[in-house]
Amino acid sequence: MPLDHPMNATSPQADRPANTRSRLTNGSAMLPGTDGRSAWARLMRDVLGSLEHHCGGELTEVERMTARRAAALEVELCHLEASFAAIRAEGGQPSSDALDLYSRLAGGQRRHLEALGTARRAKDIVPDPLEYAARHAGGNA
């Protein structure tokens, strides 16, 4: 499944064929009605993938939702920062409304990231002993 896939293997819908689920839940679309090739969507996928990696790989459904919200806020914060840089390059200063929005988005993002946990979690690479034995039993019997 893609990194931005909204369904994990334990989800009840994961057992249904992909063509019976929405494009959002089967992983073929980032958001309904958006072009997944846009700069926004590419940055969103990159940030979401980085957050998933930070959290040690496969996320629970709640973690996935939280990471998705934090990633969307990161993309918007990046666009605001680019806007601020352009305004400053022209000798201006960002409006107080834009700075207030930036501050509120950053605070919301911080809360989402705190819920995910700021300490990096290592990915569990120890195989399940039963799965390992089943995979390696075929050629040695």
Side-chain angles (χ1 to χ4, degrees):
M1 282 188 225
L3 290 176
D4 59 345
H5 195 284
M7 310 267 291
N8 64 33
T10 61
S11 171
Q13 290 80 14
D15 294 334
R16 292 182 20 218
N19 63 354
T20 65
R21 299 190 315 256
S22 76
R23 289 173 33 127
L24 178 61
T25 58
N26 73 18
S28 63
M30 171 69 65
L31 291 169
T34 60
D35 184 355
R37 300 169 297 173
S38 70
W40 192 95
R42 289 192 321 266
L43 183 54
M44 173 77 172
R45 265 193 309 278
D46 291 347
V47 171
L48 192 54
S50 293
L51 283 173
E52 184 172 328
H53 180 74
H54 172 81
C55 291
E58 189 172 323
L59 302 177
T60 67
E61 190 68 13
V62 172
E63 288 173 330
R64 183 202 55 78
M65 287 186 234
T66 303
R68 187 177 176 89
R69 298 314 172 282
L73 290 172
E74 176 63 17
V75 174
E76 290 305 315
L77 288 164
C78 286
H79 284 285
L80 281 170
E81 290 164 357
S83 171
F84 294 163
I87 291 168
R88 291 290 186 184
E90 295 174 0
Q93 69 180 45
S95 70
S96 59
D97 287 344
L99 291 170
D100 180 62
L101 174 62
Y102 182 83
S103 176
R104 287 184 287 121
L105 291 175
Q109 182 190 41
R110 178 189 50 79
R111 288 187 295 278
H112 289 301
L113 293 172
E114 284 176 350
L116 280 175
T118 55
R120 189 174 184 287
R121 289 182 265 172
K123 183 176 183 177
D124 183 13
I125 59 170
V126 178
D128 175 35
L130 296 176
E131 288 179 22
Y132 181 84
R135 272 188 305 205
H136 292 85
N140 297 332

